[in-house]
Amino acid sequence: MAAEGGGKEMNEIKTQFTTREGVYKLLTHSEYSRPNRVPFNSQGSNPVKVSFVNVNDQSGNGDRICFNVGRELYFYIYKGVRKAADLSKPIDKRIYKGTQPTCHDFNHLTATAESVSLLVGFSAGQVQLIDPIKKETSKLFNEEVSLKDTACCSKNLKLVELIDKSRVTCVKWVPGSESLFLVSHASGNMYLYNVEHTCGTTAPHYQLLKQGENYSVHTCKSKSTRNPLLKWTVGEGALNEFAFSPDGKFLACVSQDGFLRVFNFDAVELHGTMKSYFGGLLCVCWSPDGKYIVAGGEDDLVTVWSFLDCRVIARGHGHKSWVSVVAFDHYTTSVEESDPMEFSGSDEDFQDQMIHFGRDRANSTQSRLSKRNSTDSRPVSVTYRFGSVGQDTQLCLWDLTEDILFPHLPLSRTRTHTNVMNATSPPAGATIITNTSSNTTNGNNSGANTPGINSIAATLPRSNSLPHSAASSGGGISSGIMDSAIATGVSKFATLSLHDRKERHHEKDHKRNHSMGHISSKSSDKLNLLTKTKTDPAKTLGTLLCPRMEDVPLLEPLICKKIAHERLTVLIFLEDCLVTACQEGFICTWARPGKVVSSF
């Protein structure tokens, strides 16, 4: 492996990279994998995933790591930047037959040094609840049951999954709950379970609870309470991933139909939607304060969506293939106080930014959210850091700065080089495509609290972008020079931003980019009308659902480094390090600047 300074080949694997904070270094002795350290033959297997939990061990070494490789599941003490990994002593190891682990999640509320609750999803649709410390398996959900084959001899039995036989794509505990968890499947369905209830011995019968634009929610019809408590059907194709907001009240889902859908989880209502540039969306995450959502997928882009405004505010281009994971770095996201004399906007926008993103993260998410309504009138400058990894084996880090978040404010305090780009106004009627659930009660989210797209100045910045000779600090740029600047910027990313070419060959862009499904005839006429106007993904381009490339700022990554031989499947930010994993089954620890322990 070559260090960053070599620069001999574009394809060399990097072992360190530099940002404004300093140098991140790969700790080769902290690499976790199968005990034999042999690269896993990943063809046809499910992605390697990693989960962490802290068991509050009094020894001070309470971090535990779980990861799956092929049919195997491992549970180790995670030593991070402190000590080298000892792969000869897993706390628990499991090998499955006939199915493979696909995802897993710890319950952080119930974790102790003597017991942890770990949910594991499988390729055949089951969900298992295990305790890797006690080495116990307590329950199996959506399990196979034997049924008589009535078409043949009554002695013949067949195995069927009671609830959903498609691959589990994501499993997570409901925030703040010791017993509720949510599971998504490649079928496009999500199910809410309670570990204290059984799944019954017969297939469940459902009754409609709520229905909206391209989603429906059913309850389980039964005399006694049984699993699943709820069944969500969302979009078309696989539901690839979901993520709860930091306060646990909202749920962001990304699907193979290319849509991000954000729901009020408790009210079971659609808050807002976004469409990928093309192809399916594969990953999603929330900012630490819950104000922004980042999604990535088969368009090779990262897309930043404002939760409050229900609109795309930026896209980032750095990957050369599908983006598999996006994650915010809670420890590098920063807040700086600014001189009040520089502030010339209205507004409540900056008042909402009074959140202290300290590097101490004891109960960090909730503590920051509790301060979001601070009445301190001093404006603050916020920089959000997030990262992404993809099938191109590259790690990208991005900064989301105030010139992107508040383009209508003076840019005197910005940290990054920006270029003002012309932004075309969306087509007439585009504003009808936000917040359209059949029982809409949260219309204020996209109305009164949201500055309209037309109220924003016609010039939008381009953060961390390639330099353009037409950039002007004064903002007074003639239309001719501006057109030239746009042409220059677009040419740099011709494969992504030549939307006219993509419209001509829309059907050839991606076979999975299919249209949205139809709502049941029970839906209201108004809902059906809205559905018809949004069914064809080609018609969403240039609307608020999917702005054209030149209509929103285009971010350029702070760093973009090749760090693996196989596609990357994991990116997790911890206090002392960041963790990545590739499909070969190697989990790598990258020490943050100044965090390398001298014993290494």
Side-chain angles (χ1 to χ4, degrees):
M1 300 176 78
E4 184 185 13
K8 295 180 180 179
E9 296 181 8
M10 292 296 293
N11 292 327
E12 63 181 355
I13 306 299
K14 307 299 181 183
T15 59
Q16 66 180 44
F17 57 86
T18 304
T19 67
R20 56 180 166 82
E21 307 93 64
V23 179
Y24 288 74
K25 295 182 179 180
L26 175 65
L27 303 180
T28 54
H29 296 292
S30 290
E31 183 180 84
Y32 286 78
S33 67
R34 297 187 299 169
N36 58 14
R37 294 188 183 272
V38 175
F40 176 68
N41 183 2
S42 60
Q43 188 171 1
S45 64
N46 290 284
V48 173
K49 297 291 185 180
V50 174
S51 296
F52 284 98
V53 67
N54 189 288
V55 298
N56 299 315
D57 191 345
Q58 293 182 354
S59 66
N61 192 19
D63 290 330
R64 302 291 183 266
I65 183 174
C66 173
F67 59 91
N68 61 288
V69 182
R71 298 186 297 114
E72 303 167 13
L73 187 74
Y74 293 92
F75 183 69
Y76 281 96
I77 294 176
Y78 180 70
K79 300 179 180 179
V81 300
R82 298 180 298 276
K83 295 181 180 179
D86 184 0
L87 301 184
S88 64
K89 298 178 180 180
I91 300 175
D92 194 13
K93 173 187 175 181
R94 301 183 183 220
I95 302 177
Y96 297 91
K97 295 181 180 180
T99 187
Q100 294 184 3
T102 59
C103 50
H104 31 84
D105 189 44
F106 287 105
N107 192 321
H108 297 266
L109 289 180
T110 61
T112 66
E114 294 76 32
S115 175
V116 294
S117 295
L118 176 67
L119 290 168
V120 184
F122 291 90
S123 57
Q126 308 96 328
V127 178
Q128 192 178 48
L129 176 62
I130 66 175
D131 188 333
I133 294 180
K134 294 181 178 180
K135 299 184 179 180
E136 295 177 352
T137 300
S138 57
K139 285 188 178 182
L140 185 63
F141 302 89
N142 190 30
E143 60 183 319
E144 293 180 328
V145 295
S146 299
L147 298 176
K148 289 184 179 180
D149 190 347
T150 57
C152 303
C153 175
S154 60
K155 294 182 180 180
N156 291 340
L157 299 178
K158 61 179 181 179
L159 295 177
V160 299
E161 282 75 15
L162 285 177
I163 300 169
D164 197 312
K165 63 181 180 180
S166 65
R167 173 176 52 91
V168 175
T169 56
C170 188
V171 58
K172 292 184 185 296
W173 293 94
V174 174
S177 175
E178 296 183 0
S179 58
L180 297 177
F181 65 92
L182 194 63
V183 182
S184 63
H185 288 259
S187 62
N189 296 325
M190 282 191 304
Y191 301 90
L192 179 66
Y193 291 85
N194 188 323
V195 295
E196 298 174 357
H197 298 158
T198 64
C199 289
T201 57
T202 59
H205 296 279
Y206 300 101
Q207 60 184 10
L208 183 65
L209 174 66
K210 186 167 293 188
Q211 189 174 43
E213 183 194 346
N214 260 33
Y215 80 96
S216 61
V217 183
H218 293 77
T219 58
C220 193
K221 190 177 181 180
S222 175
K223 293 181 179 180
S224 58
T225 305
R226 58 161 289 180
N227 284 317
L229 303 179
L230 292 178
K231 174 186 176 182
W232 296 61
T233 300
V234 180
E236 289 191 3
L239 200 163
N240 290 320
E241 191 176 48
F242 63 83
F244 284 98
S245 61
D247 60 4
K249 296 180 180 179
F250 290 86
L251 181 71
C253 306
V254 289
S255 301
Q256 196 58 46
D257 61 7
F259 278 85
L260 161 73
R261 295 175 177 90
V262 182
F263 295 94
N264 183 317
F265 184 65
D266 292 332
V268 196
E269 291 178 345
L270 185 64
H271 170 80
T273 60
M274 182 270 288
K275 176 69 174 63
S276 67
Y277 202 68
F278 63 84
L281 287 176
L282 306 177
C283 50
V284 64
C285 66
W286 291 79
S287 64
D289 56 4
K291 291 184 178 181
Y292 303 98
I293 296 173
V294 172
E298 296 173 357
D299 54 9
D300 304 351
L301 302 170
V302 292
T303 302
V304 185
W305 190 80
S306 169
F307 173 80
L308 296 176
D309 296 349
C310 291
R311 66 181 182 90
V312 175
I313 62 170
R315 290 192 181 100
H317 176 230
H319 288 283
K320 300 174 183 177
S321 187
W322 295 357
V323 179
S324 52
V325 182
V326 288
F328 274 88
D329 183 351
H330 292 218
Y331 304 96
T332 307
T333 294
S334 62
V335 172
E336 294 182 7
E337 293 183 358
S338 302
D339 184 357
M341 296 302 293
E342 293 183 351
F343 178 68
S344 63
S346 40
D347 79 39
E348 300 148 350
D349 283 342
F350 270 128
Q351 291 178 8
D352 285 340
Q353 299 299 320
M354 300 303 293
I355 302 156
H356 302 284
F357 299 109
R359 291 176 185 263
D360 327 326
R361 201 175 161 226
N363 301 320
S364 62
T365 299
Q366 295 302 325
S367 66
R368 292 181 193 126
L369 286 173
S370 66
K371 299 176 183 179
R372 70 185 299 170
N373 294 321
S374 170
T375 56
D376 191 339
S377 60
R378 288 176 297 175
V380 294
S381 178
V382 184
T383 299
Y384 296 88
R385 168 69 59 80
F386 66 93
S388 59
V389 295
Q391 296 194 10
D392 57 359
T393 71
Q394 293 194 118
L395 163 69
C396 292
L397 295 181
W398 315 78
D399 269 358
L400 185 61
T401 52
E402 63 173 359
D403 53 308
I404 296 297
L405 302 176
F406 312 111
H408 56 297
L409 298 179
L411 303 182
S412 56
R413 300 189 307 273
T414 60
R415 296 180 186 76
T416 57
H417 174 71
T418 62
N419 294 280
V420 179
M421 300 285 292
N422 187 28
T424 7
S425 298
T431 54
I432 67 168
I433 44 181
T434 57
N435 205 355
T436 53
S437 67
S438 58
N439 295 318
T440 304
T441 59
N442 55 346
N444 59 326
N445 286 324
S446 60
N449 294 335
T450 305
I453 191 71
N454 293 326
S455 67
I456 298 177
T459 55
L460 291 179
R462 187 186 188 97
S463 179
N464 297 329
S465 64
L466 298 173
H468 300 284
S469 59
S472 170
S473 59
I477 306 176
S478 68
S479 60
I481 298 178
M482 185 64 68
D483 291 341
S484 174
I486 294 175
T488 304
V490 169
S491 66
K492 297 290 184 181
F493 308 100
T495 59
L496 291 174
S497 57
L498 291 180
H499 52 269
D500 53 340
R501 182 187 305 172
K502 294 197 175 296
E503 286 178 337
R504 289 197 302 269
H505 301 285
H506 179 76
E507 294 182 358
K508 298 180 181 179
D509 275 338
H510 203 287
K511 293 181 180 179
R512 292 177 178 172
N513 187 18
H514 46 265
S515 61
M516 300 169 64
H518 297 288
I519 302 299
S520 166
S521 58
K522 295 181 180 180
S523 302
S524 66
D525 293 339
K526 180 179 179 181
L527 180 60
N528 287 332
L529 178 61
L530 285 172
T531 305
K532 290 177 182 178
T533 62
K534 299 180 188 179
T535 315
D536 186 358
K539 296 181 180 179
T540 64
L541 186 62
T543 68
L544 288 182
L545 273 180
C546 181
R548 298 185 185 277
M549 292 298 293
E550 63 269 27
D551 290 346
V552 294
L554 187 62
L555 304 176
E556 189 176 90
L558 299 176
I559 65 104
C560 192
K561 303 295 182 183
K562 180 180 176 67
I563 62 170
H565 290 288
E566 289 290 333
R567 65 185 188 271
L568 294 164
T569 58
V570 171
L571 174 61
I572 300 173
F573 291 97
L574 302 177
E575 185 172 4
D576 295 330
C577 60
L578 62 90
V579 176
T580 62
C582 70
Q583 196 56 22
E584 285 184 315
F586 297 115
I587 291 87
C588 298
T589 297
W590 301 76
R592 291 184 185 270
K595 296 296 183 178
V596 179
V597 178
S598 58
S599 60
F600 271 105

